[in-house]
Structures are given as C-alpha cells and as structure tokens.
Amino acid sequence: MPPTFSTRVVSLVGTATLALLTATPVARGDSIERARIELDLTDPARIGWTTEFDWYAEGDAPFLRLEVHLSRDVSVTAGFSEGKDLLLSHRDVYGTWMRIWSVELPTMLEPGHSRTVTLRGSIVPQDSPGLHQDERGGFLLPDSGWFPRTSMEMEELVAHVTTFTLPPTMTGIAAGRPAPEGGWEAEIPGRPYAVWGEYVSSEHTGGDSSASEETVVLYRRAEDSGPPPRIDTILQVIRSHQAGLGDAAGSGPWRLIDVGKGVVSGGQRTLFWDESAARSITGEPASTLLDRDLAGALAAGFWTESIRFRHGTGPWLARAIPLYLGDAAVSAFAAPENRLARESIVIGSRREAFLKGIQRDRAISEVSALSLEGRHVLETRGALVAHLMAEAAGSESDWIEMLSEFRTENEGRIASGKDFRDKLRWAFADQHGFLAPYIGTTQLPDFRIVSHEVVADGRGGEQLRVEVENRGQLKGMATIAVFTPEGDLLRDYDLVIPSDSTKAIFLRDPGQVGRVVVDPRGVNPQSDLTDEIVEIRPGGRAD
C-alpha cells in the first residue's frame, strides 16, 4: 500500500531547553514548486477553479498517492496527470475548514522528482475565512485553503501564474506582476491570492523625506475618494519592517487592495484591508488596535512570504512572529514617555482576548491555523509567547536582528521548529529554557502581589519590601514595575518565579513609590489577573 500523509498534529514534548521541534514529522516534506491558476468569475454564485501544479516528492520511497489539502469550500470534480484521469476521494479534517483529497497517480512518483497534476472544480465560499464572492466581486486570500497544500501545517510559497475570466466591468488582481500574455505572474515564490471587482488603481507616494519615500499602488472602489486613511502610518510601518528585516519578499511596489468586509490581512507585497472601516475607526484604544493589526498584516510580507514552516510549530512560527513584529513596530512609534501606555493597549489587549477565550486555549504545538480555535490560540497565546521570547533575549534590537538573520538564512527554504530552535540557542544560549511548556502545554503561571511592607534596610534607613507569588502551574518571568505617586515609571524588575513560589524586591525611598504593578504591558499569558496592582500611600502603606 502506498504511504499516505497523516493529518495528526504531533504534540510538542517539553524538555529542559526550549523544544520547538515535534518528535516525528507529520508528512514526507513534499512541496509544490510551480502552479498555473485559472479562475472563471462570470458566475456570481460560484468560482470556476482550475489549478495545474508540480508536486515535488521527498522521502525515501516512491509512492502513488498524493494527499492534497484544500478548503471544504473547494469542490474538485476532475483531476489529470500524464494525460490520464485521476481517481479522487476525500475526507474532512475534524475541527478545521479543510478537506484532504486523495489523488491516485498513474505511475509511481520517485523521491527527488516532480509530477504535474491538474485539478478542476469550483469554489463556493461558505466556511473558510478569507474566501468571499458576491455581485461586486470577491477575494481568495492566503492561508484560507483555496490553493493546494501538501500538509495542514505548511502553506506553499510557489512561483505561479494566475489568469482571470471576468465580467466586462471587473478587474482581477493577483500576486506578482501583470504578465505580457495576460493575467499575473509571480516569478518570486509567494502565497497565491486573487481579488476581483470594479477597481480603480492609482499610485501614492509618501515619506518623511525624499530618501525615505515609498510608492504604493492603491486599488480602490469607485466610492473611495480623497487620501486613503492611515496611509502615513502604513508607509511608516513598511519602512520600520524594512529597517529591521530587509526588503519584503517579492518585487515591485506594495499594493493596498480595498476588499472590504472588515478584512486586515497580508500577502506578497500586498495589504488587504477595508478602507471604509479604517476611515471610520477613531478614538482609543480602537485606533491603536487597528494600527497594530495593519502592522501585523504588513509584517507577513516580510516573514511569512519568505519562509515555509512545517511540522507542529509551523503555524505558530508563520503566523505569530509577524503579529509580534506588528506589535513591536506600532509600540515603537510612541514617544518614550508614552511607550508603556501604548504597549498596555497593543499587547495587553491580546492578553485580555486570551483570558476572555481561555476555554478555547490549546497547546500551540497542536493547533492549526486552519480553524477558528487555532487562530484564536495563535493570535493570543501564540503572539504573547513570541513577546516572551523577545523579553528573554534581553533587548528588542538583538531579537529582531536574530529574526532578520534567520529570515536571510532560510529565505525560500522549508524550515522547521528545530531550525528555529538551533538559531535561538546559537544567538541566546539557554535564555529561553523556561518557555517550552508555554508551547507544548496549556499550563500557565499566575502572579500576584501577596505582601508589601516597609522594613529596615540594614543601613539605618527604610525600604519597601514587595513579595510576588506565582500560584500558577508554570515557572514564568514577570516584570514588576514601580511608579511614583504621579504615575511616572521609577524602575522595573524581571523576576523568574517557579510555580508555587515567591520572590521579593526591595525598593529604596519608600516615599517615592505610589504604585507597584505586575506585568503592566500585558506580555505574560496568565490564568488570572487579580492582585496584580498595589497602590502605596505615603509612608509605604497600601490603600
């Protein structure tokens, strides 16, 4: 019997060091090398879909069966290879919006070789986020399952051509550049996408100076008018990511495509967004959170479009690291005296969402980005753990430098959790050992201030002793911030506290202390947030 892929996501086994590698591969490691996509969009009720692709085989034995992962919204009606019809069958992947199509090849596919396969069918958007069609047009976005993939964990980066059959008034947009023979060609491998509708395109150039000018192409609806909202912030984010990570994947100018529906998502040098919603959102914290989401979507063009991540932690590395990068960029735009307040919104809101949905929590190493629960975990616990990794690195600049090096070393390659772990150990030795259970389990710390009193300092003076307990299941690192009565930050301390243990800090000049707060930025996912703030009255007493 020919070997088949397993849809089981292997659990991470925690070790004394940060274990980011699953114990056993979940697939052979096959990939898709090249594709040609044809979309017929003349029927507003369904999308005609034909995809021809080259499946490259790895492993150590020949095989006859491909297992192609597609959204349940994709119905495959025919398959062809080597001039022959293919036998097709399918099964749903529980807990996701995905389906696995078994494709029987006419002849054995040897490791180290590729086979051209054509699948034909239709797409009717129903279950999958990122797929939409109506009378005004529609979109097929990355990471939604409409394009074939070789496993649940890894999204394909592929050189491809996309062609459209469209109603007369509509324009089609896809990854890459307009091809001479029609359609769009992505010569540099990227995640395929397609958008269509009655668009008007224009260019916008902006920047702080002529040296930092960036030109973007806007695809807007007829009702969009005036300067696009938040364009200065978007350009600032692009320049920030570029300074930290290098040029974005792909070539040509960035594109901002107004797809509506409240979408904020990223692709190869592309931002998918809802211009009307972006214009209407004002006030805090909503405005800052929108900037954060835009920045995370743009970061995907630098990170997710550069590396294919596979195995159990692949979805986390592909999705949560860009969220961290977006959080860090928007936080850094704040003036130094306002950064803590900005981070308490940008990062703290992720912790709030995590706690609100804690019943949906899962181990990061076990989730798929192709389910709503999985995306919740990756956008909350997953992003917070990425922040914890940055905290343990010592400095934000050192952490982003490491990410930039990893991206350069693995650009265009398939990388695993082991590859990332090896780079982490090389850059930061054993600074991340305490993080393994955050990835491989659902356990959490729970920090609280248990006591505070003025005590003698041994030199004839007084000091304020503050004791912090971790009553949770995990050892964790907590930042303890000390503020003046006026609300200015005096200093902060990083404490690594084992489970069911306490540690104390000692503060000179108790009269200068007005408040002590555990984790004011909201970086650490916890099971509870009570008893984290103590207001200190003059003389060192608590209110």
Side-chain angles (χ1 to χ4, degrees):
M1 179 180 292
T4 63
F5 298 173
S6 168
T7 62
R8 181 173 61 92
V9 181
V10 178
S11 300
L12 176 141
V13 178
T15 66
T17 57
L18 178 61
L20 295 176
L21 179 66
T22 49
T24 307
V26 293
R28 285 185 298 261
D30 297 357
S31 59
I32 292 175
E33 292 190 321
R34 181 200 64 85
R36 184 174 186 87
I37 303 159
E38 299 176 7
L39 300 173
D40 185 341
L41 305 160
T42 55
D43 184 346
R46 58 179 291 281
I47 301 164
W49 173 87
T50 301
T51 300
E52 176 189 278
F53 54 90
D54 291 347
W55 186 290
Y56 179 81
E58 293 189 10
D60 54 9
F63 56 91
L64 276 173
R65 182 185 301 161
L66 307 182
E67 295 209 341
V68 183
H69 296 65
L70 286 164
S71 163
R72 289 198 301 267
D73 293 348
V74 180
S75 176
V76 181
T77 55
F80 313 95
S81 185
E82 299 179 304
K84 297 182 179 179
D85 293 344
L86 302 178
L87 180 64
L88 306 172
S89 60
H90 65 78
R91 64 186 186 276
D92 290 351
V93 182
Y94 176 77
T96 76
W97 55 77
M98 297 295 287
R99 176 174 288 164
I100 298 177
W101 289 85
S102 293
V103 179
E104 301 286 344
L105 298 174
T107 59
M108 284 284 188
L109 178 55
E110 299 284 342
H113 294 76
S114 61
R115 182 71 52 81
T116 300
V117 174
T118 301
L119 298 180
R120 181 175 298 157
S122 62
I123 304 173
V124 180
Q126 290 179 324
D127 297 328
S128 304
L131 306 182
H132 176 73
Q133 183 189 27
D134 60 27
E135 66 281 356
R136 300 190 65 199
F139 49 80
L140 308 174
L141 301 187
D143 208 19
S144 57
W146 73 275
F147 182 79
R149 51 200 295 167
T150 59
S151 73
M152 287 292 292
E153 295 78 30
M154 187 177 75
E155 193 171 12
E156 304 297 332
L157 301 179
V158 58
H160 60 284
V161 173
T162 306
T163 60
F164 296 89
T165 302
L166 292 156
T169 60
M170 290 190 181
T171 298
I173 311 150
R177 298 174 178 269
E181 66 275 15
W184 295 76
E185 182 174 9
E187 296 178 346
I188 298 173
R191 298 182 298 168
Y193 71 79
V195 181
W196 62 99
E198 296 184 358
Y199 284 103
V200 177
S201 65
S202 62
E203 291 187 353
H204 179 94
T205 301
D208 300 330
S209 66
S210 59
S212 65
E213 282 188 346
E214 184 86 32
T215 297
V216 297
V217 178
L218 307 172
Y219 287 90
R220 311 176 77 187
R221 304 285 187 172
E223 62 268 24
D224 297 330
S225 61
R230 302 181 184 272
I231 188 64
D232 291 340
T233 297
I234 289 169
L235 294 174
Q236 186 181 16
V237 168
I238 291 172
R239 291 192 297 272
S240 174
H241 289 331
Q242 186 171 331
L245 298 171
D247 288 339
S251 61
W254 277 84
R255 285 175 281 189
L256 276 58
I257 307 178
D258 180 11
V259 299
K261 301 296 177 183
V263 168
V264 180
S265 186
Q268 188 185 75
R269 293 196 178 227
T270 304
L271 174 68
F272 310 101
W273 68 325
D274 185 332
E275 187 171 320
S276 176
R279 181 175 288 105
S280 66
I281 293 176
T282 59
E284 296 295 349
S287 184
T288 293
L289 292 178
L290 175 58
D291 289 345
R292 178 199 71 178
D293 294 345
L294 291 169
L298 290 164
F302 292 82
W303 182 261
T304 315
E305 293 289 339
S306 295
I307 308 168
R308 287 177 288 178
F309 290 101
R310 69 179 175 195
H311 299 157
T313 51
W316 172 60
L317 290 168
R319 195 171 183 90
I321 297 297
L323 297 179
Y324 160 79
L325 290 166
D327 293 356
V330 171
S331 296
F333 295 160
E337 65 272 17
N338 297 327
R339 177 154 184 172
L340 183 59
R342 174 72 64 87
E343 288 177 325
S344 69
I345 296 173
V346 169
I347 308 171
S349 63
R350 294 198 186 280
R351 188 174 66 176
E352 290 175 11
F354 171 75
L355 284 169
K356 185 176 181 180
I358 199 166
Q359 298 303 319
R360 303 162 62 189
D361 190 29
R362 301 288 184 274
I364 289 170
S365 58
E366 297 177 352
V367 301
S368 167
L370 300 168
S371 71
L372 293 179
E373 283 197 349
R375 290 197 172 181
H376 168 78
V377 172
L378 295 173
E379 292 167 9
T380 55
R381 175 188 279 267
L384 291 172
V385 170
H387 278 282
L388 283 178
M389 295 175 76
E391 295 282 308
S395 79
E396 183 177 276
S397 60
D398 288 346
W399 175 250
I400 291 180
E401 181 180 358
M402 187 279 290
L403 294 179
S404 177
E405 290 178 358
F406 184 81
R407 175 187 179 235
T408 300
E409 294 161 2
N410 292 277
E411 192 159 15
R413 294 180 58 244
I414 297 175
S416 68
K418 181 181 183 302
D419 298 323
F420 191 79
R421 181 190 64 186
D422 290 347
K423 182 66 177 180
L424 198 64
R425 285 175 169 169
W426 177 85
F428 303 113
D430 292 324
Q431 291 168 236
H432 294 85
F434 72 94
L435 284 169
Y438 284 92
I439 299 168
T441 76
T442 57
Q443 295 176 353
L444 295 165
D446 178 10
F447 303 110
R448 64 170 180 164
I449 298 172
V450 292
S451 68
H452 37 274
E453 61 179 336
V454 175
V455 297
D457 64 4
R459 297 184 299 274
E462 293 182 330
Q463 59 186 345
L464 180 64
R465 181 182 186 275
V466 179
E467 189 174 32
V468 182
E469 178 188 25
N470 177 6
R471 57 186 175 182
Q473 302 164 301
L474 283 188
K475 176 173 71 174
M477 182 174 69
T479 297
I480 314 301
V482 182
F483 297 88
T484 68
E486 294 74 30
D488 298 323
L489 179 66
L490 276 174
R491 62 188 70 92
D492 55 34
Y493 304 82
D494 288 332
L495 300 180
V496 176
I497 309 176
S499 174
D500 293 323
S501 301
T502 60
K503 286 191 177 182
I505 59 173
F506 294 86
L507 308 172
R508 295 180 181 179
D509 302 320
Q512 294 186 15
V513 179
R515 173 186 291 183
V516 181
V517 181
V518 178
D519 192 17
R521 297 160 58 230
V523 169
N524 211 316
Q526 298 185 60
S527 57
D528 183 76
L529 295 182
T530 56
D531 302 321
E532 291 204 329
I533 301 175
V534 172
E535 304 285 350
I536 307 295
R537 295 202 308 263
R541 297 184 181 88
D543 281 345

